[in-house]
Amino acid sequence: DAGVIQSPRHEVTEMGQEVTLRCKPISGHNSLFWYRQTMMRGLELLIYFNNNVPIDDSGMPEDRFSAKMPNASFSTLKIQPSEPRDSAVYFCASTLGPGTEAFFGQGTRLTVV
Amino acid sequence: GENVGLHLPTLSVQEGDNSIINCAYSNSASDYFIWYKQESGKGPQFIIDIRSNMDKRQGQRVTVLLNKTVKHLSLQIAATQPGDSAVYFCAENLAGGADGLTFGKGTHLIIQP
């Protein structure tokens, strides 16, 4: 298996633009997580899905952030409109289920100018 | 405004020596713990895990110790190698594993040649 695949690896966008980050979890994994990593706050859980259903989005910073998982093999994290403070590395991770090891993608480095 | 970065604790050891990285976790209800390694520009990578019904678990060159009384986790790396240089994170998962992993702030391990 290729592991968790994220795209793009790098994204530079202007303030106010919409940004969509993509994730393909490991086949057969039932849970998917979106994390954000910054120097200020470290790794923060934004939202997670079990069997494509959003379970907890309390970590999503604002209404500008939204995430979807239309099927078991694809998820998106959208920021609209983007702001400079959204600049961070966004990671997607997947697991077989609760209480199991999370496998991380390589991340998307987002820069909002 | 002020922009203060996260100052990660740094541990510097000589190549070949053993290293111990410590972590204090926050939730006494957590029952699953993982150590991750993150190299520059990459996503966190699983090293070893331990469940709360154990106090020690060994892998290849790594040992994790869990002290539930004081909510403390440690990672021991034996005979360190240059490739061990990275940031190491401990992560905890609440009982039942319904929530995503909560990560500590990380420790930067530097292996001196």
Side-chain angles (χ1 to χ4, degrees):
Chain A
D1 197 313
V4 175
I5 299 173
Q6 292 186 245
S7 64
R9 288 296 309 277
H10 302 274
E11 176 80 36
V12 180
T13 191
E14 290 186 344
M15 177 176 159
Q17 296 298 306
E18 177 180 297
V19 175
T20 300
L21 312 180
R22 296 173 175 78
C23 175
K24 181 181 186 305
I26 292 174
S27 178
H29 280 194
N30 299 317
S31 299
L32 182 141
F33 305 84
W34 282 100
Y35 285 88
R36 177 173 67 176
Q37 187 174 39
T38 61
M39 286 298 295
M40 289 285 289
R41 302 172 69 90
L43 269 163
E44 302 174 278
L45 176 65
L46 300 178
I47 186 172
Y48 76 96
F49 297 82
N50 277 349
N51 296 314
N52 313 340
V53 177
I55 302 300
D56 184 358
D57 65 354
S58 59
M60 297 284 261
E62 299 174 31
D63 290 346
R64 298 183 297 107
F65 285 69
S66 63
K68 294 182 180 179
M69 192 164 185
N71 57 62
S73 59
F74 184 65
S75 177
T76 59
L77 178 67
K78 185 179 294 185
I79 308 172
Q80 166 64 17
S82 58
E83 296 183 4
R85 60 193 168 118
D86 302 331
S87 298
V89 181
Y90 290 80
F91 288 103
C92 176
S94 69
T95 75
L96 277 170
T100 63
E101 161 192 357
F103 292 82
F104 282 77
Q106 296 284 17
T108 295
R109 180 174 293 278
L110 173 66
T111 304
V112 183
V113 298
Chain B
E2 188 176 5
N3 183 18
V4 178
L6 203 63
H7 294 288
L8 294 179
T10 298
L11 175 64
S12 184
V13 301
Q14 290 292 126
E15 182 180 350
D17 286 352
N18 298 334
S19 67
I20 300 176
I21 301 171
N22 296 302
C23 175
Y25 63 92
S26 57
N27 196 325
S28 56
S30 294
D31 70 347
Y32 178 57
F33 306 88
I34 309 179
W35 279 100
Y36 282 90
K37 171 186 179 183
Q38 187 176 25
E39 297 173 281
S40 181
K42 296 184 178 180
Q45 180 183 11
F46 172 90
I47 302 174
I48 190 168
D49 59 3
I50 188 167
R51 300 196 184 274
S52 58
N53 60 351
M54 303 173 68
D55 53 22
K56 179 179 180 179
R57 189 157 189 238
Q58 288 185 286
Q60 187 178 17
R61 285 201 305 119
V62 294
T63 301
V64 55
L65 299 177
L66 174 63
N67 185 330
K68 295 181 287 294
T69 302
V70 294
K71 293 191 288 186
H72 184 267
L73 201 62
S74 69
L75 176 70
Q76 300 176 1
I77 304 175
T80 53
Q81 303 168 357
D84 294 331
S85 293
V87 177
Y88 289 81
F89 294 94
C90 65
E92 60 183 299
N93 195 188
L94 288 177
D99 299 321
L101 294 169
T102 300
F103 282 81
K105 298 303 183 186
T107 296
H108 189 188
L109 177 65
I110 298 172
I111 307 302
Q112 305 274 12

